[in-house]
Amino acid sequence: MNPAAYAVLDLDAVQHNLSIVHHYAPNAKVMAVIKANAYGHGLLRIAEALHDVDAFAVARVDEGIRLRKAGFKNRIAVLEGFTCVEELAELLHYQLDSVVHSLTQLEILETTTLKGVCAVWLKLDTGMGRLGFRAKEFSSVYQRLNRCALVKQPFGLMTHFASADDMNDDKTLKQIKLFDETVAGLSGELSMANSAGILGWEQSLRDWVRPGIMLYGVSPFPDSIGRQLGLKPVMELHSKLIAVKQIDAGDTVGYGGSWTCEKTTKLGVVAIGYGDGYPRYAKAGTPVLVNGGRVPLIGRVSMDMITVDLDTQPDAKSGDPATLWGEGLPVEEVALWADTIPYTLVCGVTQRVRLVEKQHSS
Ligand SMILES: Cc1ncc(COP(=O)(O)O)c(C=O)c1O
C-alpha cells in the first residue's frame, strides 16, 4: 500500500535528459549539478543514474564527501569551495575539486602548510554579483593561483549566468563577452553554461557545461515546460484523498477562513501540505489531479493537508489518488500558481515524503 504522500522518480528520464544535454552541447564535458540532495531527488540515487558523467558538482564539501564515501570515483566540484583550512584539508583528503572565488580562499591556499594537490575552478564574476572575482582583479588572482604549490595546473576558469532564463535579456551576452575578454590568453578549461545556457545560448558553450534543473526534466525558462524542450520530468508528487464531505454556502475552509463557500460544494481533503514541501503560497485555484482530473485548490495550504473542490469529480471518495505534480500537471505550472520557480518545489520535498523509484516494464 502506498504511503499517504510519496514521490515517484523516473531514473530512465534522468538518462534521457542527459542525452538532451549531449545533443545541445555535443563537444562539451558534463558537470552534472546534483547539489541540494540532487534538487530533492536523492543525491546517491541520481549520482548512480548519472554515473558516466565527466564530473559532479555539489555546493558544499559535505555533499562531496557523501558521494566519495558512497564510492563515486568521478571528479566532484564543490561550487562554494572550501570555507576554512579544515575544509581544504577535507577537499584534499577526498580529492574534491574546489571553486576558488574569494581572497580568503586564495590566502588560505597561499599560506597553508597542508600537502597534496587540489584541482581548482577559478571563478570570475561577470555580472551575477555573488561569488567570484571582479574582472579587474582577475589577472592578478590568476597569477597568484598559478604560484600555489597545492593547486593543480592548469586550473579551470568559470563564471555563472544571472539571467540566462530570460531570452530577451542581453545581460547573458554581456556576461559571455566579459568572460571571453577576461580569460583571453589564459590557459585552463572554460565553463559557463547552466541549463538555460545549454538550451538557449549556444554561444555560451565551452569545454564544460553545468546542467542542473534540466537533468530533472524541468525547464529553466518561465514560459515553457520540460516536455516542450524534449526533457522528461523525473519527479511526480502524489498523495490521496483522506476525507470527502459536503459544505454549504457561507462555510469557510481552512486556517484564517480565507475561502468562503458560495454554494453547496463537495470538498476533498488531500494528505499533503507544506510539511511535505507542497508550497504554502499556492493560491486558491491551483490545479490538483484527483483520479486524473483537474480540481482546484481551495483555502490555505496547511502543514499536512490541502483542501480541494471536488464538484467536477462527483464520484471521488476517500482513498482516491491525488497528484500534486506529474503527468498532466507540470511542476512548472504549479510553481506559477505559487509565485515561485519549479526549482524550489522539487528541492523542497521533505523527508516525510517517501521517494519511490518508478519500475519500468522491460
Ligand atoms: C555555479 C552553478 N552552475 C550551474 C548550476 C546549475 O543551474 P541550473 O539548475 O539552472 O542548470 C548552478 C545552480 O544553481 C550553479 O550554482
Side-chain angles (χ1 to χ4, degrees), residues 107-141:
E107 282 159 11
I108 290 176
L109 285 169
E110 287 174 327
T111 55
T112 181
T113 53
L114 290 168
K115 298 278 173 280
V117 180
C118 186
V120 159
W121 286 94
L122 179 60
K123 188 164 189 176
L124 173 68
D125 180 3
T126 50
M128 179 67 163
R130 206 175 56 178
L131 300 182
F133 294 95
R134 310 292 304 273
K136 58 184 178 205
E137 59 189 344
F138 201 72
S139 166
S140 92
V141 169

mmCIF file of all heavy atoms in Angstrom, residues 107-141:
data_model
loop_
_atom_site.group_PDB
_atom_site.id
_atom_site.type_symbol
_atom_site.label_atom_id
_atom_site.label_comp_id
_atom_site.label_asym_id
_atom_site.label_seq_id
_atom_site.Cartn_x
_atom_site.Cartn_y
_atom_site.Cartn_z
ATOM 1 N N GLU A 107 44.160 33.296 0.012
ATOM 2 C CA GLU A 107 45.163 33.454 1.072
ATOM 3 C C GLU A 107 45.390 32.141 1.814
ATOM 4 O O GLU A 107 46.524 31.812 2.175
ATOM 5 C CB GLU A 107 44.735 34.572 2.035
ATOM 6 C CG GLU A 107 45.018 35.956 1.435
ATOM 7 C CD GLU A 107 44.188 37.074 2.063
ATOM 8 O OE1 GLU A 107 43.530 36.842 3.097
ATOM 9 O OE2 GLU A 107 44.189 38.172 1.477
ATOM 10 N N ILE A 108 44.324 31.387 2.009
ATOM 11 C CA ILE A 108 44.491 30.068 2.650
ATOM 12 C C ILE A 108 45.380 29.191 1.771
ATOM 13 O O ILE A 108 46.308 28.536 2.252
ATOM 14 C CB ILE A 108 43.122 29.400 2.918
ATOM 15 C CG1 ILE A 108 42.362 30.138 4.018
ATOM 16 C CG2 ILE A 108 43.306 27.926 3.300
ATOM 17 C CD1 ILE A 108 40.958 29.632 4.296
ATOM 18 N N LEU A 109 45.127 29.191 0.480
ATOM 19 C CA LEU A 109 45.929 28.361 -0.438
ATOM 20 C C LEU A 109 47.389 28.798 -0.441
ATOM 21 O O LEU A 109 48.303 27.977 -0.554
ATOM 22 C CB LEU A 109 45.366 28.459 -1.864
ATOM 23 C CG LEU A 109 44.078 27.672 -2.115
ATOM 24 C CD1 LEU A 109 43.461 28.058 -3.461
ATOM 25 C CD2 LEU A 109 44.329 26.168 -2.083
ATOM 26 N N GLU A 110 47.618 30.098 -0.291
ATOM 27 C CA GLU A 110 48.993 30.618 -0.331
ATOM 28 C C GLU A 110 49.768 30.333 0.954
ATOM 29 O O GLU A 110 50.990 30.211 0.932
ATOM 30 C CB GLU A 110 48.966 32.134 -0.583
ATOM 31 C CG GLU A 110 48.586 32.482 -2.008
ATOM 32 C CD GLU A 110 48.424 33.983 -2.229
ATOM 33 O OE1 GLU A 110 47.989 34.695 -1.306
ATOM 34 O OE2 GLU A 110 48.712 34.449 -3.330
ATOM 35 N N THR A 111 49.058 30.235 2.060
ATOM 36 C CA THR A 111 49.765 30.168 3.342
ATOM 37 C C THR A 111 49.699 28.801 4.028
ATOM 38 O O THR A 111 50.404 28.569 4.998
ATOM 39 C CB THR A 111 49.173 31.211 4.321
ATOM 40 O OG1 THR A 111 47.767 30.970 4.409
ATOM 41 C CG2 THR A 111 49.429 32.626 3.852
ATOM 42 N N THR A 112 48.850 27.920 3.522
ATOM 43 C CA THR A 112 48.661 26.653 4.220
ATOM 44 C C THR A 112 49.930 25.781 4.194
ATOM 45 O O THR A 112 50.733 25.856 3.262
ATOM 46 C CB THR A 112 47.493 25.854 3.606
ATOM 47 O OG1 THR A 112 47.353 24.648 4.348
ATOM 48 C CG2 THR A 112 47.767 25.496 2.153
ATOM 49 N N THR A 113 50.057 24.981 5.235
ATOM 50 C CA THR A 113 51.166 24.021 5.265
ATOM 51 C C THR A 113 50.681 22.631 4.841
ATOM 52 O O THR A 113 51.439 21.660 4.891
ATOM 53 C CB THR A 113 51.753 23.934 6.698
ATOM 54 O OG1 THR A 113 50.670 23.652 7.593
ATOM 55 C CG2 THR A 113 52.439 25.226 7.086
ATOM 56 N N LEU A 114 49.400 22.566 4.456
ATOM 57 C CA LEU A 114 48.868 21.271 4.012
ATOM 58 C C LEU A 114 49.608 20.799 2.764
ATOM 59 O O LEU A 114 50.077 21.618 1.959
ATOM 60 C CB LEU A 114 47.368 21.413 3.677
ATOM 61 C CG LEU A 114 46.417 21.638 4.851
ATOM 62 C CD1 LEU A 114 45.035 22.052 4.344
ATOM 63 C CD2 LEU A 114 46.310 20.372 5.695
ATOM 64 N N LYS A 115 49.666 19.493 2.615
ATOM 65 C CA LYS A 115 50.338 18.926 1.431
ATOM 66 C C LYS A 115 49.299 18.229 0.554
ATOM 67 O O LYS A 115 48.282 17.740 1.049
ATOM 68 C CB LYS A 115 51.402 17.897 1.856
ATOM 69 C CG LYS A 115 52.514 18.491 2.712
ATOM 70 C CD LYS A 115 53.570 19.171 1.838
ATOM 71 C CE LYS A 115 54.611 19.926 2.640
ATOM 72 N NZ LYS A 115 54.193 21.246 3.103
ATOM 73 N N GLY A 116 49.566 18.174 -0.724
ATOM 74 C CA GLY A 116 48.651 17.496 -1.633
ATOM 75 C C GLY A 116 48.439 18.326 -2.879
ATOM 76 O O GLY A 116 49.109 19.339 -3.087
ATOM 77 N N VAL A 117 47.480 17.860 -3.710
ATOM 78 C CA VAL A 117 47.171 18.585 -4.945
ATOM 79 C C VAL A 117 45.655 18.741 -5.046
ATOM 80 O O VAL A 117 44.915 17.781 -4.874
ATOM 81 C CB VAL A 117 47.671 17.809 -6.184
ATOM 82 C CG1 VAL A 117 47.345 18.593 -7.454
ATOM 83 C CG2 VAL A 117 49.151 17.534 -6.089
ATOM 84 N N CYS A 118 45.231 19.953 -5.330
ATOM 85 C CA CYS A 118 43.797 20.237 -5.410
ATOM 86 C C CYS A 118 43.480 20.811 -6.795
ATOM 87 O O CYS A 118 44.115 21.775 -7.236
ATOM 88 C CB CYS A 118 43.436 21.254 -4.327
ATOM 89 S SG CYS A 118 41.677 21.557 -4.207
ATOM 90 N N ALA A 119 42.505 20.177 -7.488
ATOM 91 C CA ALA A 119 42.054 20.747 -8.764
ATOM 92 C C ALA A 119 41.098 21.895 -8.454
ATOM 93 O O ALA A 119 40.296 21.812 -7.514
ATOM 94 C CB ALA A 119 41.365 19.689 -9.603
ATOM 95 N N VAL A 120 41.211 22.960 -9.229
ATOM 96 C CA VAL A 120 40.516 24.205 -8.883
ATOM 97 C C VAL A 120 39.816 24.782 -10.108
ATOM 98 O O VAL A 120 40.295 24.638 -11.234
ATOM 99 C CB VAL A 120 41.582 25.210 -8.338
ATOM 100 C CG1 VAL A 120 41.102 26.632 -8.422
ATOM 101 C CG2 VAL A 120 41.961 24.859 -6.901
ATOM 102 N N TRP A 121 38.664 25.406 -9.854
ATOM 103 C CA TRP A 121 37.996 26.261 -10.841
ATOM 104 C C TRP A 121 38.060 27.688 -10.310
ATOM 105 O O TRP A 121 37.509 27.965 -9.236
ATOM 106 C CB TRP A 121 36.534 25.852 -11.011
ATOM 107 C CG TRP A 121 36.346 24.591 -11.787
ATOM 108 C CD1 TRP A 121 36.216 23.335 -11.283
ATOM 109 C CD2 TRP A 121 36.268 24.472 -13.208
ATOM 110 N NE1 TRP A 121 36.056 22.430 -12.298
ATOM 111 C CE2 TRP A 121 36.086 23.102 -13.495
ATOM 112 C CE3 TRP A 121 36.340 25.381 -14.268
ATOM 113 C CZ2 TRP A 121 35.968 22.615 -14.803
ATOM 114 C CZ3 TRP A 121 36.223 24.903 -15.571
ATOM 115 C CH2 TRP A 121 36.043 23.536 -15.828
ATOM 116 N N LEU A 122 38.727 28.567 -11.035
ATOM 117 C CA LEU A 122 38.774 29.971 -10.621
ATOM 118 C C LEU A 122 37.549 30.669 -11.198
ATOM 119 O O LEU A 122 37.278 30.595 -12.399
ATOM 120 C CB LEU A 122 40.068 30.618 -11.143
ATOM 121 C CG LEU A 122 40.256 32.103 -10.803
ATOM 122 C CD1 LEU A 122 40.270 32.344 -9.297
ATOM 123 C CD2 LEU A 122 41.566 32.612 -11.429
ATOM 124 N N LYS A 123 36.828 31.355 -10.317
ATOM 125 C CA LYS A 123 35.542 31.907 -10.744
ATOM 126 C C LYS A 123 35.601 33.414 -10.977
ATOM 127 O O LYS A 123 36.055 34.174 -10.112
ATOM 128 C CB LYS A 123 34.469 31.587 -9.698
ATOM 129 C CG LYS A 123 33.069 31.956 -10.158
ATOM 130 C CD LYS A 123 32.030 31.281 -9.296
ATOM 131 C CE LYS A 123 30.641 31.467 -9.877
ATOM 132 N NZ LYS A 123 29.642 30.748 -9.116
ATOM 133 N N LEU A 124 35.096 33.807 -12.141
ATOM 134 C CA LEU A 124 35.000 35.228 -12.495
ATOM 135 C C LEU A 124 33.548 35.663 -12.301
ATOM 136 O O LEU A 124 32.626 34.982 -12.752
ATOM 137 C CB LEU A 124 35.413 35.404 -13.967
ATOM 138 C CG LEU A 124 35.228 36.798 -14.556
ATOM 139 C CD1 LEU A 124 36.196 37.797 -13.910
ATOM 140 C CD2 LEU A 124 35.442 36.770 -16.081
ATOM 141 N N ASP A 125 33.359 36.786 -11.639
ATOM 142 C CA ASP A 125 32.011 37.352 -11.504
ATOM 143 C C ASP A 125 31.774 38.270 -12.694
ATOM 144 O O ASP A 125 32.289 39.386 -12.746
ATOM 145 C CB ASP A 125 31.902 38.122 -10.187
ATOM 146 C CG ASP A 125 30.521 38.739 -10.001
ATOM 147 O OD1 ASP A 125 29.654 38.510 -10.869
ATOM 148 O OD2 ASP A 125 30.319 39.441 -8.998
ATOM 149 N N THR A 126 30.993 37.774 -13.665
ATOM 150 C CA THR A 126 30.746 38.580 -14.876
ATOM 151 C C THR A 126 29.445 39.368 -14.774
ATOM 152 O O THR A 126 29.024 40.000 -15.744
ATOM 153 C CB THR A 126 30.674 37.667 -16.119
ATOM 154 O OG1 THR A 126 29.761 36.593 -15.842
ATOM 155 C CG2 THR A 126 32.044 37.135 -16.484
ATOM 156 N N GLY A 127 28.770 39.294 -13.626
ATOM 157 C CA GLY A 127 27.529 40.047 -13.514
ATOM 158 C C GLY A 127 26.495 39.413 -12.605
ATOM 159 O O GLY A 127 25.434 39.978 -12.371
ATOM 160 N N MET A 128 26.813 38.242 -12.079
ATOM 161 C CA MET A 128 25.895 37.619 -11.125
ATOM 162 C C MET A 128 25.923 38.395 -9.812
ATOM 163 O O MET A 128 24.927 38.462 -9.085
ATOM 164 C CB MET A 128 26.301 36.158 -10.901
ATOM 165 C CG MET A 128 25.434 35.415 -9.922
ATOM 166 S SD MET A 128 23.759 35.209 -10.568
ATOM 167 C CE MET A 128 23.177 33.913 -9.510
ATOM 168 N N GLY A 129 27.097 38.942 -9.490
ATOM 169 C CA GLY A 129 27.192 39.733 -8.256
ATOM 170 C C GLY A 129 27.140 38.881 -7.010
ATOM 171 O O GLY A 129 26.725 39.344 -5.944
ATOM 172 N N ARG A 130 27.565 37.642 -7.138
ATOM 173 C CA ARG A 130 27.512 36.740 -5.980
ATOM 174 C C ARG A 130 28.932 36.243 -5.762
ATOM 175 O O ARG A 130 29.788 37.022 -5.334
ATOM 176 C CB ARG A 130 26.495 35.624 -6.299
ATOM 177 C CG ARG A 130 25.847 34.966 -5.121
ATOM 178 C CD ARG A 130 24.787 33.971 -5.541
ATOM 179 N NE ARG A 130 25.273 32.935 -6.441
ATOM 180 C CZ ARG A 130 24.542 31.932 -6.916
ATOM 181 N NH1 ARG A 130 23.281 31.821 -6.579
ATOM 182 N NH2 ARG A 130 25.055 31.032 -7.717
ATOM 183 N N LEU A 131 29.253 35.019 -6.089
ATOM 184 C CA LEU A 131 30.628 34.540 -5.906
ATOM 185 C C LEU A 131 31.490 34.884 -7.116
ATOM 186 O O LEU A 131 31.016 34.919 -8.244
ATOM 187 C CB LEU A 131 30.643 33.020 -5.709
ATOM 188 C CG LEU A 131 29.883 32.452 -4.517
ATOM 189 C CD1 LEU A 131 30.042 30.932 -4.460
ATOM 190 C CD2 LEU A 131 30.346 33.080 -3.221
ATOM 191 N N GLY A 132 32.776 35.106 -6.866
ATOM 192 C CA GLY A 132 33.713 35.292 -7.976
ATOM 193 C C GLY A 132 34.482 36.594 -7.875
ATOM 194 O O GLY A 132 34.055 37.547 -7.213
ATOM 195 N N PHE A 133 35.622 36.601 -8.546
ATOM 196 C CA PHE A 133 36.465 37.797 -8.572
ATOM 197 C C PHE A 133 35.984 38.731 -9.677
ATOM 198 O O PHE A 133 35.464 38.284 -10.698
ATOM 199 C CB PHE A 133 37.927 37.404 -8.821
ATOM 200 C CG PHE A 133 38.521 36.602 -7.693
ATOM 201 C CD1 PHE A 133 38.525 35.222 -7.737
ATOM 202 C CD2 PHE A 133 39.047 37.241 -6.588
ATOM 203 C CE1 PHE A 133 39.055 34.484 -6.690
ATOM 204 C CE2 PHE A 133 39.587 36.507 -5.536
ATOM 205 C CZ PHE A 133 39.588 35.120 -5.585
ATOM 206 N N ARG A 134 36.211 40.037 -9.469
ATOM 207 C CA ARG A 134 35.861 41.024 -10.483
ATOM 208 C C ARG A 134 36.894 40.959 -11.609
ATOM 209 O O ARG A 134 38.055 40.606 -11.385
ATOM 210 C CB ARG A 134 35.865 42.438 -9.885
ATOM 211 C CG ARG A 134 35.064 42.578 -8.592
ATOM 212 C CD ARG A 134 33.571 42.415 -8.832
ATOM 213 N NE ARG A 134 33.070 43.357 -9.835
ATOM 214 C CZ ARG A 134 32.663 44.593 -9.551
ATOM 215 N NH1 ARG A 134 32.675 45.034 -8.311
ATOM 216 N NH2 ARG A 134 32.222 45.389 -10.511
ATOM 217 N N ALA A 135 36.459 41.376 -12.790
ATOM 218 C CA ALA A 135 37.348 41.291 -13.967
ATOM 219 C C ALA A 135 38.664 42.026 -13.733
ATOM 220 O O ALA A 135 39.731 41.549 -14.119
ATOM 221 C CB ALA A 135 36.629 41.851 -15.191
ATOM 222 N N LYS A 136 38.603 43.180 -13.045
ATOM 223 C CA LYS A 136 39.824 43.994 -12.896
ATOM 224 C C LYS A 136 40.866 43.329 -11.987
ATOM 225 O O LYS A 136 42.049 43.649 -12.077
ATOM 226 C CB LYS A 136 39.480 45.395 -12.387
ATOM 227 C CG LYS A 136 38.754 45.421 -11.063
ATOM 228 C CD LYS A 136 38.372 46.848 -10.693
ATOM 229 C CE LYS A 136 37.601 46.817 -9.388
ATOM 230 N NZ LYS A 136 36.718 47.891 -9.158
ATOM 231 N N GLU A 137 40.453 42.415 -11.117
ATOM 232 C CA GLU A 137 41.420 41.754 -10.232
ATOM 233 C C GLU A 137 41.792 40.349 -10.728
ATOM 234 O O GLU A 137 42.651 39.680 -10.144
ATOM 235 C CB GLU A 137 40.871 41.680 -8.794
ATOM 236 C CG GLU A 137 39.554 40.936 -8.683
ATOM 237 C CD GLU A 137 38.872 41.025 -7.318
ATOM 238 O OE1 GLU A 137 39.506 41.404 -6.322
ATOM 239 O OE2 GLU A 137 37.675 40.706 -7.268
ATOM 240 N N PHE A 138 41.132 39.914 -11.811
ATOM 241 C CA PHE A 138 41.235 38.511 -12.208
ATOM 242 C C PHE A 138 42.658 38.105 -12.601
ATOM 243 O O PHE A 138 43.141 37.045 -12.214
ATOM 244 C CB PHE A 138 40.266 38.227 -13.366
ATOM 245 C CG PHE A 138 39.924 36.770 -13.515
ATOM 246 C CD1 PHE A 138 39.104 36.132 -12.592
ATOM 247 C CD2 PHE A 138 40.421 36.018 -14.567
ATOM 248 C CE1 PHE A 138 38.782 34.790 -12.724
ATOM 249 C CE2 PHE A 138 40.105 34.677 -14.707
ATOM 250 C CZ PHE A 138 39.281 34.064 -13.783
ATOM 251 N N SER A 139 43.309 38.977 -13.352
ATOM 252 C CA SER A 139 44.642 38.635 -13.843
ATOM 253 C C SER A 139 45.619 38.433 -12.678
ATOM 254 O O SER A 139 46.396 37.471 -12.657
ATOM 255 C CB SER A 139 45.101 39.745 -14.784
ATOM 256 O OG SER A 139 46.450 39.620 -15.007
ATOM 257 N N SER A 140 45.559 39.316 -11.699
ATOM 258 C CA SER A 140 46.500 39.180 -10.575
ATOM 259 C C SER A 140 46.163 37.947 -9.728
ATOM 260 O O SER A 140 47.053 37.223 -9.275
ATOM 261 C CB SER A 140 46.541 40.466 -9.741
ATOM 262 O OG SER A 140 45.619 40.404 -8.692
ATOM 263 N N VAL A 141 44.875 37.666 -9.564
ATOM 264 C CA VAL A 141 44.481 36.462 -8.819
ATOM 265 C C VAL A 141 44.939 35.215 -9.572
ATOM 266 O O VAL A 141 45.440 34.250 -8.971
ATOM 267 C CB VAL A 141 42.939 36.452 -8.621
ATOM 268 C CG1 VAL A 141 42.473 35.110 -8.106
ATOM 269 C CG2 VAL A 141 42.514 37.560 -7.672
#
